[in-house]
Amino acid sequence: MTSTARRRLVAALAGLPAALPARAQERYPSRPIRAVVPFTAGSSTDLRARSFGHYMSADWGQPVVVENRPGGNGVIAAETVARARPDGYTLLYGTNSTHAANIALVPNLPYDPVADFAPVALVTNSSLIVVVNNALPVHSMAELIAYARAHPGRLNYAVGNTGSMAGGAMLKALAGIKMTQVSYRSTPQGVTALLAGEVQLMVVDGGQVLVHAREGRLRALATTGTGPHPGLPELPLVSSLPGMESYAVSSWVAVFAPAGTPRPVILQINAKMREIAARPDMQAQIAAEGSSYRVGSPEDLAAFVQREIEDWRRLVREGRLSAG
């Protein structure tokens, strides 16, 4: 090899270390982002993904494509993201279904809600509302419980996700009443059935029924949280009734990435979501939907998920929810 050839080879090899980090550290995002939603279009989780996706697309100049993959109480969507490339371009808008309830309720769950995901940010954590069809002759939670006791097994309640399932199951357990659970593929389908009188009541995300309650198409009786519902602050708490003091159910949405996603990318997405949640136009949307936004750090979300998993396992152990 001539001296000239050797110099060219050395120069080429010397350039490789500088070139590789530059490629690895390319600007994020530099291509479209896929936001996977475990439920149908129109669900509360879908609305969250589209709201944040709109602003992220505008700020970053890259499309955020919402992909609805309903089925299996969130299992299909969660497994899809768990197996995706950990590069920040596939995100999951997970819920208490995908990341807390399923580990207690689904045998042979094909993903690990902790080990297979990198927490990004808790988006919402909202109480639910107990609503009834207008034909049901009750106007308060006390009247609902009294009616259910007087007519055991006559009431049917709609379930569209694990939040509504837990709300109905805990109501039965604590009040000592018999009602029949009727499951639907999604919350919007359950609300439609409630409006049509196919079922008599539902414990449901406020954003799905606020308009119906305010315009008199459904009757809201109480909220499942520990404080006033942001959309209907006049509603009493279910837990204010004698014997129902331990009743508390919430529905939450959070963003997760596949495990192994680079930490700088996780922090960049988290920072953008915090910024978007603080904007006045987003805050106006929050108020209109009756949701509570709580975008914290990835560590906040990780700790929150661990607590939620233990809560769901406890509910199953105590027999308030069926693991079958």
Side-chain angles (χ1 to χ4, degrees):
M1 180 181 291
T2 66
S3 59
T4 300
R6 280 196 299 271
R7 284 196 301 271
R8 288 175 177 172
L9 178 60
V10 170
L13 292 174
L16 285 177
L20 289 175
R23 184 181 182 89
Q25 296 171 15
E26 66 181 10
R27 179 184 63 85
Y28 176 88
S30 59
R31 50 191 169 88
I33 298 169
R34 179 171 62 146
V36 181
V37 174
F39 305 108
T40 60
S43 63
S44 294
T45 311
D46 176 75
L47 296 176
R48 297 291 73 71
R50 294 182 189 279
S51 295
F52 276 92
H54 168 76
Y55 290 104
M56 293 166 91
S57 295
D59 290 357
W60 282 340
Q62 293 292 341
V64 176
V65 180
V66 175
E67 179 180 318
N68 297 94
R69 294 183 66 87
N73 204 33
V75 171
I76 293 174
E79 186 178 13
T80 296
V81 176
R83 307 294 177 250
R85 180 177 297 177
D87 54 10
Y89 290 95
T90 301
L91 303 174
L92 174 71
Y93 276 77
T95 67
N96 40 341
S97 296
T98 63
H99 277 73
N102 282 351
I103 198 168
L105 296 170
V106 179
N108 303 314
L109 190 66
Y111 66 88
D112 187 316
V114 176
D116 289 341
F117 294 89
V120 179
L122 178 65
V123 180
T124 63
N125 185 16
S126 303
S127 57
L128 310 181
I129 296 175
V130 182
V131 289
V132 298
N133 181 277
N134 285 336
L136 193 67
V138 302
H139 293 80
S140 69
M141 282 301 301
E143 290 182 2
L144 174 64
I145 292 172
Y147 183 93
R149 287 173 176 165
H151 305 87
R154 182 178 298 183
L155 293 180
N156 299 319
Y157 66 97
V159 163
N161 56 31
T162 53
S164 56
M165 180 187 70
M170 290 183 68
L171 178 59
K172 290 191 294 185
L174 293 176
I177 57 178
K178 294 182 179 180
M179 302 187 298
T180 301
Q181 174 181 304
V182 181
S183 299
Y184 294 87
R185 185 173 175 84
S186 68
T187 296
Q189 289 180 337
V191 172
T192 298
L194 179 61
L195 287 164
E198 296 173 13
V199 293
Q200 289 73 50
L201 71 147
M202 190 173 190
V203 185
V204 61
D205 302 335
Q208 298 288 310
V209 294
L210 280 179
V211 172
H212 299 306
R214 288 167 177 164
E215 297 182 358
R217 291 187 290 273
L218 292 173
R219 186 179 302 128
L221 302 183
T223 180
T224 67
T226 57
H229 190 281
L232 292 172
E234 70 277 8
L235 286 181
L237 306 180
V238 176
S239 60
S240 66
L241 286 169
M244 304 295 289
E245 292 84 0
S246 64
Y247 188 99
V249 183
S250 66
S251 179
W252 52 268
V253 177
V255 174
F256 299 87
T261 300
R263 175 73 173 173
V265 172
I266 295 292
L267 294 178
Q268 184 176 341
I269 300 170
N270 177 275
K272 177 55 64 178
M273 296 188 72
R274 288 189 190 221
E275 177 192 324
I276 291 171
R279 295 178 182 179
D281 48 354
M282 180 62 92
Q283 290 294 322
Q285 181 179 332
I286 294 169
E289 295 176 357
S291 297
S292 299
Y293 279 57
R294 301 183 181 182
V295 180
S297 69
E299 291 73 25
D300 292 336
L301 175 56
F304 177 79
V305 167
Q306 290 286 0
R307 293 194 299 271
E308 285 286 298
I309 288 173
E310 289 308 310
D311 284 346
W312 280 89
R313 282 174 168 160
R314 175 179 53 79
L315 290 173
V316 170
R317 285 196 305 268
E318 294 174 354
R320 297 185 185 181
L321 296 174
S322 171

